[in-house]
Amino acid sequence: MPAIAYLNFDGIAEQVIDFYSEALDANEVKKVRFADIPQDPNYPLPDNELRMIMESAIEFAGGKIMMSDMLPSMKAVTGELVNGNNVWISLVFADKALMGQYFGKLSVGGHVIMPLSDTPWSSCFGMLIDKFGVAWKFNSDADLFLDRVMSGKK
């Protein structure tokens, strides 16, 4: 089973889903709101939480990202949502035109850390933080680089 990036947001998951779906030319988008599942009558969710995304997935070019909203009522248990730099989504495509298209769309409203360029480790590498604070790496040759370095260690 593949590992899938799963992102939590503070009430903006629907905006993120819409943005990523368009930026990555998603071929399938699934969303379930908290209102779509049976509610416990002893612990009813407020209307604003019922509209939030409980679970979602977007599929694109063989990749998949899942995401949801963190309910305000759960923060007493989970703690506040914190955007950080400990998780990056890495897109690895040999198709540099497709990578350039994704890079351009995801960078709208965000911050380009390193534009797509030829580097010693990849013929097309770049990094950005999108407008939602999510970090992305693009690398056309990630597997080739790893194999080349690892073969030199044998």
Side-chain angles (χ1 to χ4, degrees):
M1 173 176 271
I4 297 171
Y6 195 106
L7 307 172
N8 284 313
F9 293 95
D10 203 2
I12 62 166
E14 185 145 34
Q15 294 172 44
V16 178
I17 293 163
D18 293 344
F19 181 74
Y20 289 175
S21 296
E22 185 176 325
L24 298 170
D25 295 322
N27 54 333
E28 186 169 17
V29 179
K30 298 176 185 176
K31 313 186 241 198
V32 174
R33 297 179 192 287
F34 285 95
D36 295 333
I37 62 167
Q39 299 297 306
D40 182 338
N42 298 314
Y43 302 98
L45 293 176
D47 286 342
N48 67 314
E49 291 186 0
L50 288 171
R51 290 188 297 272
M52 289 182 173
I53 302 297
M54 178 192 174
E55 188 88 318
S56 71
I58 64 167
E59 294 187 27
F60 62 97
K64 183 177 190 175
I65 298 173
M66 297 181 74
M67 61 197 90
S68 65
D69 282 312
M70 181 181 288
L71 293 176
S73 62
M74 288 297 297
K75 290 181 181 177
V77 177
T78 62
E80 290 292 324
L81 184 68
V82 176
N83 283 337
N85 62 1
N86 62 326
V87 175
W88 290 68
I89 296 175
S90 181
L91 297 182
V92 179
F93 291 103
D95 184 338
K96 294 174 188 168
L98 180 61
M99 204 163 33
Q101 177 184 334
Y102 290 167
F103 191 92
K105 289 179 178 180
L106 287 169
S107 66
V108 173
H111 172 72
V112 173
I113 296 169
M114 181 178 180
L116 290 177
S117 57
D118 188 356
T119 66
W121 60 90
S122 177
S123 62
C124 189
F125 180 86
M127 298 185 295
L128 64 88
I129 307 294
D130 71 27
K131 67 182 180 179
F132 302 105
V134 176
W136 296 79
K137 280 188 180 185
F138 295 75
N139 189 340
S140 65
D141 306 317
D143 292 326
L144 297 172
F145 172 73
L146 289 168
D147 291 345
R148 187 174 68 244
V149 172
M150 294 306 296
S151 69
K153 289 184 167 186
K154 293 179 184 176

